[in-house]
Amino acid sequence: MRAIRIGLLGCGVVGQGILRLLHEHAGSLERRLGAPIEVRRVVAKTEGKARAHHVPAELLAFDAESVLGDPEIDVVVEVIGGLEPAGRYVRTALERGKSVVTANKFLLAEEGHALFELAEERGVDLYFEAAVCGGIPVIRVLREALVADSVVAVRGIVNGTSNYILSRMQQEKIDYAVALAAAQEAGYAEADPSLDVNGGDATHKLTILATLAFGAKLLPSHVTTEGIEHISAIDMKMAERFGYVIKLLATARSLPVGLLDLRVHPALVPQSSVLASIHGALNAVYLEGAMLGPSLLSGYGAGAMPTAMSVVSDLVDVGRNILRDARGRVPQRTVPSQLLLRREVQPAGMHVSPYYLRFSVMDRPNVIAKIASVLGAFDVAIHQMIQEARAAGPRAPVNVVVLTHPTRDDALRSALREIQMLSGIVEAPRAIRIETAA
Ligand code: HSE
């Protein structure tokens, strides 16, 4: 019987998870695929490192060419992450007629267009379920289950690390730096951990999701991105007082005017909303189809075994295509690359939403009056407002929190720039969007 022969690039947490899964589920995988999956080579970065028992020492190698240059290998699995050298390896594999399964959202968001075109040109597959939300099968849902629908909105929590940090801040009333240290200790980190907290990782995932959802040619630079680094324990406390929690939300909407609205930023979501109940390292993606209506997927978006599960499921799909000589049967981004649409993206300043504002001010006459006056001059209407009671002496600043009615981003930002210059304002105002549709 013909085996599907694979070469694995990367033997870290996910790579070792893939080997474990292939070992433990070998029987059911072979029955489902109709052929065994044979690991021909595993390329690791460092020699002499201790590895789990399911990593066969005789398969280990330390140069990618031992996989890329092996004509017997049908499928290259890339779980190294980052742009280079992973990008070079994926390109080479595709150029040499090998199908690729990757978990690399950074690479696909930044350079996916060229890579998918190359795969289509060479008649091979490039599968990537594990690149977005680890074990949650959201790519398959968008690409296959919803192929008959027209997606109008995708909204979700797609970065487990930042969700873990925000959940700890919310539950334990601790500051950002303390929660970040706890997240690092728990082992939630990317090759570059700053991408988790600055919104970059969520933006990569949203770019991929929106490309499939809207059949549009998009890049991370189209997404308005803000991270969670400036969220403080006081914001969590105040949000709670008004009936909200703070989450890092990724949102992609097709607006009635034809524009796409693409944003990643922290947002206040109602405590009663579904996304508010997604805690810790969990991810959730809410999809809204014109025909289907709302639908929610939730589960672990990272971790060795959920991610390995998605990679190996892709391997089965790719293997089936190889066995039936049907590579490229399913367009990986719902349509062939040349049919992706060019969609205009709404400029960030045009977005309209209610806002949570926090001003750190001196507790003296006329400060609030001046803030309210500037907000009014820019057409920003106040919905609710509170001032914290002064805890320390008369020179200690106090927090004033304002919830606004829906306002345009550009007007609000102009008002905040002016307010920052007023006397009695101690530090730059904080502004967080309120997402009532979450
Ligand atoms: N760092 C990512 C997260 C892991 O925290 O969600 C998987 O993409």
Side-chain angles (χ1 to χ4, degrees):
M1 187 197 300
R2 186 209 193 292
I4 297 299
R5 291 153 309 208
I6 72 162
L8 181 59
L9 299 180
C11 191
V13 171
V14 175
Q16 294 185 47
I18 292 167
L19 292 169
R20 181 182 143 198
L21 200 157
L22 286 173
H23 176 71
E24 289 183 11
H25 288 187
S28 64
L29 287 168
E30 182 172 337
R31 281 198 302 281
R32 289 169 186 178
L33 170 59
I37 296 176
E38 180 196 333
V39 183
R40 296 266 305 190
R41 185 87 55 233
V42 178
V43 176
K45 198 160 66 179
T46 332
E47 291 190 46
K49 216 167 128 178
R51 292 188 171 87
H53 67 275
H54 40 262
V55 181
E58 68 280 10
L59 298 185
L60 270 181
F62 301 92
D63 71 307
E65 193 50 34
S66 63
V67 162
L68 301 171
D70 181 347
E72 303 269 276
I73 287 178
D74 304 295
V75 190
V76 172
V77 178
E78 184 273 308
V79 285
I80 301 169
L83 289 182
E84 291 300 339
R88 199 168 65 243
Y89 299 158
V90 170
R91 260 188 311 278
T92 306
L94 297 172
E95 268 161 9
R96 294 183 184 172
K98 297 184 191 305
S99 289
V100 171
V101 174
T102 178
N104 194 333
K105 61 253 160 171
F106 195 169
L107 180 65
L108 293 184
E110 292 290 353
E111 296 174 16
H113 300 304
L115 294 173
F116 284 105
E117 279 167 24
L118 179 59
E120 288 162 20
E121 190 191 300
R122 296 297 154 110
V124 293
D125 285 322
L126 172 54
Y127 274 59
F128 57 99
E129 182 66 71
V132 181
C133 297
I136 306 177
V138 63
I139 298 299
R140 273 188 180 69
V141 167
L142 282 171
R143 188 182 59 211
E144 293 164 45
L146 298 187
V147 73
D149 210 338
S150 167
V151 176
V152 291
V154 179
R155 190 175 284 113
I157 294 171
V158 299
N159 181 269
T161 306
S162 57
N163 200 48
Y164 179 88
I165 293 171
L166 292 175
S167 299
R168 295 281 300 252
M169 289 175 71
Q170 180 202 337
Q171 285 154 6
E172 296 162 46
K173 306 289 173 275
I174 51 177
D175 248 318
Y176 169 76
V178 181
L180 172 61
Q184 279 165 336
E185 198 160 308
Y188 298 108
E190 280 301 292
D192 178 358
S194 63
L195 286 173
D196 287 322
V197 294
N198 70 13
D201 176 75
T203 289
H204 294 147
K205 292 167 180 165
L206 188 72
T207 305
I208 297 171
L209 290 176
T211 300
L212 268 77
F214 307 124
K217 197 163 184 176
L218 299 167
L219 285 170
S221 56
H222 292 123
V223 182
T224 302
T225 303
E226 285 170 34
I228 61 164
E229 306 99 314
H230 297 299
I231 305 294
S232 66
I234 180 73
D235 296 318
M236 282 287 174
K237 212 171 86 186
M238 288 294 187
E240 215 168 281
R241 200 161 154 177
F242 287 103
Y244 295 95
V245 296
I246 302 177
K247 294 288 184 189
L248 183 72
L249 284 195
T251 305
R253 294 187 304 153
S254 181
L255 302 175
V257 287
L259 297 174
L260 292 182
D261 173 27
L262 305 174
R263 292 174 282 119
V264 165
H265 53 72
L268 272 71
V269 301
Q271 278 165 353
S272 56
S273 67
V274 177
L275 292 183
S277 65
I278 304 299
H279 296 301
L282 283 174
N283 283 190
V285 184
Y286 163 90
L287 299 171
E288 192 180 329
M291 300 297 146
L292 171 72
S295 154
L296 186 80
L297 299 169
S298 178
Y300 284 108
M305 297 326 293
T307 311
M309 196 281 296
S310 285
V311 169
V312 176
S313 295
D314 274 356
L315 268 175
V316 171
D317 264 356
V318 170
R320 284 172 173 156
N321 290 348
I322 291 172
L323 293 174
R324 283 158 195 78
D325 206 9
R327 276 165 284 211
R329 186 185 71 86
V330 182
Q332 284 307 291
R333 296 183 295 172
T334 64
V335 292
S337 290
Q338 81 270 15
L339 296 184
L340 284 178
L341 304 170
R342 298 219 173 256
R343 295 279 302 264
E344 291 289 312
V345 176
Q346 173 177 263
M350 281 173 66
H351 178 63
V352 174
S353 76
Y355 262 91
Y356 160 98
L357 306 176
R358 180 169 59 83
F359 305 97
S360 178
V361 305
M362 296 312 295
D363 189 9
R364 65 179 192 227
N366 210 28
V367 176
I368 287 185
K370 284 191 291 186
I371 293 174
S373 154
V374 176
L375 290 176
F378 284 92
D379 243 2
V380 179
I382 294 173
H383 173 51
Q384 293 185 68
M385 183 170 194
I386 52 171
Q387 179 182 311
E388 245 186 347
R390 195 164 66 198
R395 292 190 174 280
V398 294
N399 285 300
V400 171
V401 172
V402 171
L403 301 195
T404 74
H405 282 292
T407 177
R408 261 180 71 123
D409 273 32
D410 48 9
L412 183 94
R413 305 282 163 186
S414 303
L416 294 184
R417 273 193 297 277
E418 205 157 298
I419 290 171
Q420 192 171 345
M421 313 299 287
L422 297 173
S423 74
I425 303 293
V426 176
E427 59 181 44
R430 295 276 176 244
I432 310 173
R433 294 171 184 87
I434 300 174
E435 198 75 56
T436 45

